[in-house]
Amino acid sequence: MASALHNLSDYDINSVPDATGLAVGIVVSEWNDKITGALLEGAVRTLVKHGVREEDITVKTVPGSFELIYGSARFMNSDQVDAVIAIGCVIRGDTPHFDYICQGVTQGLADLNRQGKVPVIYGLLTCNTLEQAEQRCGGMLGNKGDECAVTAIKMAKGWV
Ligand code: DLZ
């Protein structure tokens, strides 16, 4: 149970490199937009906190999480960003759709990472309930957007 209680906004500030000069592309899904909007806010706030200039953050929206793959690929191939953050939220429904979307997006983003051009950070919440999502976008379990921003900085700065 310990990992389920991990606060996504907790990190060692001294372990994060200075991110000045980093350009970051963020793709955000419109589905469950209250959740994805809060994740986006967390990601931007944390990037800026570590030195990324707001003008070096480019945000693009896509209709649903499945489109995060295409959006991330576009950023990756633009040669304009040092890292991509893909933000979405899928909530389980009555059909197997949830499983197909989650698997498809996870595989798609993994395939992009395998190309090794720029890191593509996995900001997809895959939740059984809306409450679980709310807990992870600024609620009692922190904000996955913060975690994504820290990961993007570490990955982009760690390999230059
Ligand atoms: C269709 C659909 C459903 C049912 N649920 C979600 C969801 O919970 N979260 C999400 O991000 N997107 C959902 N979508 C939309 C799909 O991701 C995708 O946009 C459509 O299937 C069109 O490709």
Side-chain angles (χ1 to χ4, degrees):
M1 285 304 287
S3 62
L5 296 176
H6 170 71
N7 187 306
L8 295 156
S9 299
D10 282 351
Y11 62 95
D12 175 8
I13 200 161
N14 297 314
S15 72
V16 184
D18 174 28
T20 305
L22 217 62
V24 180
I26 306 181
V27 197
V28 193
S29 163
E30 289 170 350
W31 261 82
N32 300 311
D33 61 346
K34 281 209 175 109
I35 305 291
T36 59
L39 295 171
L40 173 64
E41 268 181 44
V44 170
R45 187 182 53 237
T46 303
L47 288 171
V48 170
K49 177 174 161 186
H50 287 282
V52 181
R53 293 179 307 178
E54 288 200 26
E55 57 266 37
D56 290 333
I57 301 172
T58 309
V59 179
K60 294 278 189 187
T61 57
V62 292
S65 289
F66 195 69
E67 287 70 46
L68 291 174
I69 306 163
Y70 177 82
S72 298
R74 288 291 298 264
F75 267 132
M76 190 180 87
N77 290 317
S78 71
D79 294 327
Q80 312 247 309
V81 297
D82 302 300
V84 180
I85 299 175
I87 289 177
C89 172
V90 194
I91 298 178
R92 191 182 286 280
D94 293 335
T95 72
H97 187 269
F98 172 90
D99 301 298
Y100 288 110
I101 293 289
C102 294
Q103 281 172 20
V105 177
T106 301
Q107 190 62 56
L109 298 183
D111 288 345
L112 296 182
N113 275 301
R114 216 170 279 123
Q115 293 183 41
K117 281 191 172 179
V118 296
V120 178
I121 311 305
Y122 187 85
L124 182 69
L125 288 180
T126 58
C127 298
N128 289 322
T129 64
L130 180 61
E131 186 189 15
Q132 287 180 343
E134 287 168 348
Q135 289 170 342
R136 290 161 175 79
C137 68
M140 62 179 280
L141 296 178
N143 189 326
K144 190 165 181 68
D146 296 336
E147 182 203 54
C148 288
V150 168
T151 306
I153 295 168
K154 285 185 175 178
M155 291 302 292
K157 282 294 199 179
W159 292 95
V160 292

